[in-house]
Amino acid sequence: YSQRYYNILEKRIKLPVYQFKDELIAKVLENQSIVVEGETGSGKTTQIPQFLLEAGLATQGETCVACTQPRRVAATSIAQRVADEMDVQLGSEVGYTIRFEDVSDPHTTVLKFLTDGMLLREAMHDPLLMRYSAIVLDECHERTLATDVIMGLLMEILPKRKKGSEHGELKVVVMSATLDAEKFQEYFHNAPLLKVPGRTFPVEIFYTAKPERNYVEAAVRTTLHIHQCEAPGDILVFLTGEQEIEQACEELREKSRSMDAELVVYPLYSSLSPEQQRKIFSEAPGPRTPGGPPGRKVVVSTNIAETSLTIDGIVYVVDPGFSKQKVYNPRIRVESLLVSPISRASAKQRSGRAGRTRPGKCFRLYTEKSFHDDLQETTYPEILRSKMSNVVLTLKKLGIDDLVHFDFLDPPAPETLMRALELLNYLGALDDEGEMTELGYQMSELPLDPQLAKLILVSPDYGCSSEIVSIVASLSVPQIFLRPRESAKQADEAKAQFTHHESDHLTLLRAYNEYAMIPDKERKQWCWDNFISERSMISSVNVRNQLLGIMKRLDIQVVSSDIKGDGSFSSVDIRKALTAGMFMQVAYRQRSGEYLTVKDNQHVYIHPSSVVNNRPEWVIFEEFALTTKNHIRTVTVTNVDWLVELAPHYFDLENFPKCEAKGELEKAYS
Ligand code: ADP
Ligand code: MG
């Protein structure tokens, strides 16, 4: 082994979970399922999968141990860490799989970190999860949708994979950072519990006297105050998303420049490159001048640093009390990510991050009264706030027909399930009896939202599947067009070169096509000059290739409307394909100037970032963003004649939901 191996080993042995290694292995060998509850940072995620390997559960080339993570960043970052700990190359013995990225090897990988969503996808082709001898379900306290569904599936799989059964035994380790272990124990048929006590130091909590008006500004101010007034120790700041985080980082760098002690600031959010993500683990800087005050590290992070990743050396936590959460309203059938107040359980987790190495302090940017009166005790399981169309399609593919009696830990509202079935029926994925159709099978093979999957599947009929795949790939990666606040005008001018006034989708396509024609060496500069995210472009090329691979397997034709081969395309054909695929995401203009969605009569406005600014009568839209106003984002101009022609079953006058569009439609039909 390398020196690094021994250096890390020294640290590993000191982790609380290490003391429980023998007990854990004994419990796992004795039982099919066990529950592990342990403080964040006690070593669960990095160590327990390795203990299972030591217990001899995996055999190279035959079976392996899986460890699920709700977040991509956690899956990739922890896989890298564990590969380092085991002194192996990432992608050989230890690997990871996230959507559109597989860094593992069927012949050598014995331990694989993967997102919970990917494990669900794998189950579609491997219904008894035969590839695995053990599954570690991590971060179960988060109750993400996919983890909940996997738990339900395991209820069906575990009896078929008992010790001595023809399929071999499947072990399950359910891991949680908080006190909900009992619920999991009960659900997994009284699985035994292993409790790992944390080694934490006291954390002093401070509240603001008055509510803060602007939490980003307050977070920056508090951080600088800590930097100036508090003893050495690193700072962790929680914000909700990329934009806020970058803004705060910039302000912190700017405002600390004139201070005595150096401050290094690192952002942490999901769309950062792995190299940038790794920086959060680097040591705090030394003094700026010899003999001066020591430097300090600040990490400004999304929720990912709450329980998924532990950064050593944090002594101060700044907690504004918000995170981005999925919110679903089954009545209006809209799911969106909203900045919402966190729960008290989350607030406690966050403050706990300050006491890992010595006593710490947590600054909550809300009042103590608000903590007790306004915050919920725990976060509501995601399954109760999600649209279910993806899950329903997956479960149908897995042969689970009786969704109402599927053993969910917390069953979703029947209405939500009904809405999902209805949507899938309109899309043609399920027939009127609720049976999966051929189209439905194909849709479930594409790792996309059902609407986008449908869009790809109809696109060959319009002679433009090649273009549609580029568009879908561009929609599946983080923002392509960058718009930094300080150079918004230049960014807008750059975007104008690609603008197609009838469509944001076509604008994305133009940017993609231009990029694809630039020689490799010049791409970086081209992206820079055009305010385009190079990383997103690289990802979308990668995603596109993977989608093309799946299409080939499904025998879906790849045809292009670009006959000249110069990146030109037929706007009409592509907009028709978009209309045929996304007919349920349609809105029409009202006399007042706002739009109404056909599906559920929502009052919406076209988002100001859209290139469509001449207020057309009918538009299809990609997403619904609830902000101060209800916005629809990424829109394309369509028209009522196309809708009636291309989606007659949905825009059928007899069955059409009673909405104001009906008058319009009647005119179109007559
Ligand atoms: P848990 O899952 O119980 O929250 P982890 O296994 O994630 O705990 O973390 C155990 C320890 O490993 C922590 O002290 C953490 O700082 C350290 N660690 C994890 N990933 C890295 C990394 N990439 N670099 C350095 N240390 C790491
Ligand atoms: Mg963990």
Side-chain angles (χ1 to χ4, degrees):
Y1 293 116
S2 67
Q3 188 56 43
R4 183 181 63 178
Y5 171 82
Y6 291 103
N7 291 346
I8 299 182
L9 187 62
E10 220 172 283
K11 285 193 195 143
R12 288 178 57 197
I13 292 171
K14 290 188 194 134
L15 290 169
V17 86
Y18 223 83
Q19 312 285 307
F20 295 87
K21 181 167 149 185
D22 295 340
E23 190 182 338
L24 179 110
I25 291 179
K27 277 207 162 83
V28 167
L29 293 180
E30 226 166 86
N31 301 278
Q32 191 173 21
S33 330
I34 72 162
V35 178
V36 176
E37 179 190 290
E39 201 94 42
T40 307
S42 56
K44 296 185 301 298
T45 310
T46 51
Q47 307 311 310
I48 287 178
Q50 295 188 67
F51 295 167
L52 298 183
L53 295 183
E54 271 187 50
L57 284 178
T59 315
Q60 221 164 32
E62 288 176 26
T63 54
C64 65
V65 170
C67 177
T68 64
Q69 293 295 321
R71 297 188 186 79
R72 299 159 56 101
V73 187
T76 56
S77 150
I78 291 164
Q80 178 66 60
R81 170 67 178 181
V82 173
D84 289 349
E85 291 192 0
M86 289 171 56
D87 212 16
V88 298
Q89 279 287 323
L90 183 61
S92 59
E93 281 90 339
V94 179
Y96 69 81
T97 310
I98 58 181
R99 192 171 74 141
F100 297 126
E101 202 178 329
D102 183 9
V103 181
S104 72
D105 179 336
H107 302 295
T108 56
T109 302
V110 280
L111 170 55
K112 196 165 88 166
F113 291 87
L114 72 180
T115 50
D116 45 12
M118 276 314 295
L119 185 63
L120 210 48
R121 282 225 140 246
E122 288 189 0
M124 295 190 343
H125 292 276
D126 181 8
L128 291 179
L129 295 171
M130 294 300 290
R131 270 185 84 172
Y132 301 105
S133 49
I135 290 176
V136 180
L137 288 177
D138 203 1
E139 305 280 287
C140 288
H141 62 273
E142 284 208 29
R143 300 294 310 278
T144 58
L145 173 62
T147 294
D148 267 21
V149 175
I150 291 171
M151 286 199 268
L153 272 182
L154 286 173
M155 288 300 123
E156 316 237 326
I157 296 172
L158 288 177
K160 297 178 188 149
R161 289 198 57 190
K162 277 193 173 321
K163 200 177 268 173
S165 69
E166 54 171 318
H167 303 297
E169 194 184 18
L170 177 66
K171 303 278 191 189
V172 174
V173 179
V174 176
M175 306 210 293
S176 165
T178 46
L179 310 168
D180 36 21
E182 236 172 71
K183 183 162 181 170
F184 297 124
Q185 279 182 275
E186 215 171 279
Y187 185 64
F188 281 90
H189 311 298
N190 300 319
L193 173 69
L194 181 75
K195 233 179 171 153
V196 183
R199 206 184 292 131
T200 49
F201 295 87
V203 175
E204 212 179 330
I205 310 257
F206 300 89
Y207 293 94
T208 52
K210 285 184 309 204
E212 289 288 350
R213 209 183 284 248
N214 178 336
Y215 63 83
V216 180
E217 187 260 328
V220 169
R221 177 167 25 88
T222 308
T223 306
L224 291 170
H225 182 81
I226 296 170
H227 184 47
Q228 278 190 304
C229 307
E230 297 282 347
D234 298 334
I235 309 173
L236 173 61
V237 184
F238 286 100
L239 287 174
T240 72
E242 172 173 350
Q243 251 188 350
E244 263 175 32
I245 290 173
E246 286 296 348
Q247 182 197 335
C249 285
E250 217 171 284
E251 285 178 24
L252 284 171
R253 287 185 196 117
E254 176 80 44
K255 290 180 178 158
S256 65
R257 210 159 283 154
S258 58
M259 294 180 176
D260 285 345
E262 185 165 356
L263 197 62
V264 281
V265 188
Y266 299 120
L268 178 58
Y269 48 84
S270 61
S271 55
L272 283 177
S273 70
E275 305 86 73
Q276 284 171 303
Q277 282 164 15
R278 255 198 298 281
K279 285 190 187 151
I280 61 159
F281 293 106
S282 50
E283 298 268 323
R288 185 176 270 172
T289 48
R296 211 191 284 266
K297 175 170 84 176
V298 179
V299 178
V300 188
S301 171
T302 60
N303 232 10
I304 177 107
E306 190 177 295
T307 58
S308 297
L309 290 185
T310 297
I311 310 157
D312 288 331
I314 299 294
V315 178
Y316 305 99
V317 165
V318 178
D319 171 21
F322 292 98
S323 69
K324 254 190 203 149
Q325 293 166 29
K326 214 195 254 178
V327 178
Y328 179 67
N329 183 335
R331 190 180 54 77
I332 60 172
R333 286 176 261 184
V334 167
E335 177 186 88
S336 40
L337 276 175
L338 277 188
V339 171
S340 321
I342 59 172
S343 65
R344 281 198 290 275
S346 280
K348 284 172 199 158
Q349 281 292 337
R350 288 180 173 192
S351 59
R353 308 294 84 233
R356 289 260 306 130
T357 35
R358 58 191 162 94
K361 293 182 180 176
C362 173
F363 297 83
R364 292 185 176 154
L365 305 179
Y366 38 92
T367 64
E368 189 164 6
K369 186 171 183 318
S370 173
F371 174 79
H372 292 292
D373 298 353
D374 302 342
L375 300 192
Q376 287 183 341
E377 183 52 38
T378 53
T379 314
Y380 222 42
E382 197 178 56
I383 200 163
L384 305 180
R385 19 181 198 106
S386 301
K387 62 176 187 194
M388 294 288 288
S389 43
N390 249 334
V391 173
V392 167
L393 195 59
T394 307
L395 291 176
K396 285 273 175 190
K397 174 80 195 283
L398 288 164
I400 291 158
D401 283 321
D402 190 358
L403 296 173
V404 180
H405 293 106
F406 185 71
D407 190 4
F408 287 110
L409 187 55
D410 283 293
E415 194 190 0
T416 307
L417 286 174
M418 290 310 296
R419 293 295 189 203
L421 289 168
E422 183 190 79
L423 176 109
L424 292 169
N425 177 243
Y426 274 130
L427 290 177
L430 303 179
D431 63 21
D432 291 345
E433 273 68 55
E435 298 288 324
M436 199 168 209
T437 62
E438 184 53 35
L439 183 77
Y441 272 108
Q442 297 200 328
M443 281 168 67
S444 70
E445 289 289 322
L446 290 158
L448 298 166
D449 201 63
Q451 306 252 9
L452 290 180
K454 163 97 180 185
L455 171 59
I456 287 195
L457 292 172
V458 300
S459 62
D461 298 346
Y462 302 88
C464 58
S465 48
S466 174
E467 286 87 349
I468 290 292
V469 182
S470 306
I471 292 172
V472 171
S474 307
L475 293 169
S476 306
V477 300
Q479 284 288 331
I480 298 252
F481 295 111
L482 301 174
R483 195 169 186 273
R485 271 191 314 162
E486 66 284 359
S487 27
K489 189 163 164 289
Q490 290 100 303
D492 290 344
E493 280 166 15
K495 187 176 171 186
Q497 312 164 72
F498 308 109
T499 295
H500 189 293
H501 278 290
E502 286 169 312
S503 166
D504 290 307
H505 296 89
L506 290 175
T507 302
L508 282 169
L509 176 63
R510 272 198 174 154
Y512 183 93
N513 283 351
E514 283 227 15
Y515 174 84
M517 297 223 254
I518 305 268
D520 279 358
K521 298 196 298 295
E522 294 162 32
R523 286 182 170 178
K524 192 177 202 73
Q525 187 63 40
W526 183 86
C527 286
W528 180 262
D529 293 342
N530 289 291
F531 289 87
I532 280 175
S533 160
E534 191 200 5
R535 215 180 123 67
S536 293
M537 271 301 185
I538 293 171
S539 304
S540 59
V541 171
N542 177 10
V543 169
R544 182 172 192 276
N545 286 332
Q546 297 200 33
L547 290 174
L548 289 176
I550 300 172
M551 288 164 70
K552 191 167 170 206
R553 185 157 54 75
L554 297 176
D555 217 6
I556 301 163
Q557 265 195 313
V558 180
V559 282
S560 171
S561 72
D562 176 9
I563 342 164
K564 286 182 266 162
D566 60 355
S568 60
F569 50 76
S570 158
S571 155
V572 168
D573 289 345
I574 296 175
R575 286 191 298 122
K576 275 192 154 180
L578 287 165
T579 307
M582 297 176 38
F583 57 86
M584 293 184 73
Q585 310 252 77
V586 171
Y588 62 100
R589 196 188 65 212
Q590 292 204 294
R591 244 171 252 117
S592 62
E594 60 177 16
Y595 284 76
L596 266 186
T597 61
V598 169
K599 195 165 58 173
D600 36 41
N601 268 316
Q602 284 295 295
H603 295 253
V604 293
Y605 294 85
I606 295 178
H607 196 272
S609 67
S610 174
V611 299
V612 176
N613 55 14
N614 58 348
R615 304 203 299 133
E617 227 175 329
W618 289 82
V619 291
I620 37 188
F621 59 93
E622 196 59 43
E623 66 176 316
F624 192 107
L626 287 169
T627 45
T628 39
K629 260 183 185 176
N630 290 349
H631 279 127
I632 48 178
R633 219 183 306 201
T634 316
V635 305
T636 282
V637 180
T638 185
N639 61 61
V640 72
D641 296 326
W642 287 358
L643 291 168
V644 170
E645 175 195 334
L646 304 175
H649 63 300
Y650 190 63
F651 292 92
D652 161 355
L653 273 184
E654 303 243 324
N655 298 319
F656 200 72
K658 274 206 191 70
C659 83
E660 293 178 35
K662 200 159 177 168
E664 279 271 341
L665 282 176
E666 275 166 26
K667 256 190 279 160
Y669 270 104
S670 63

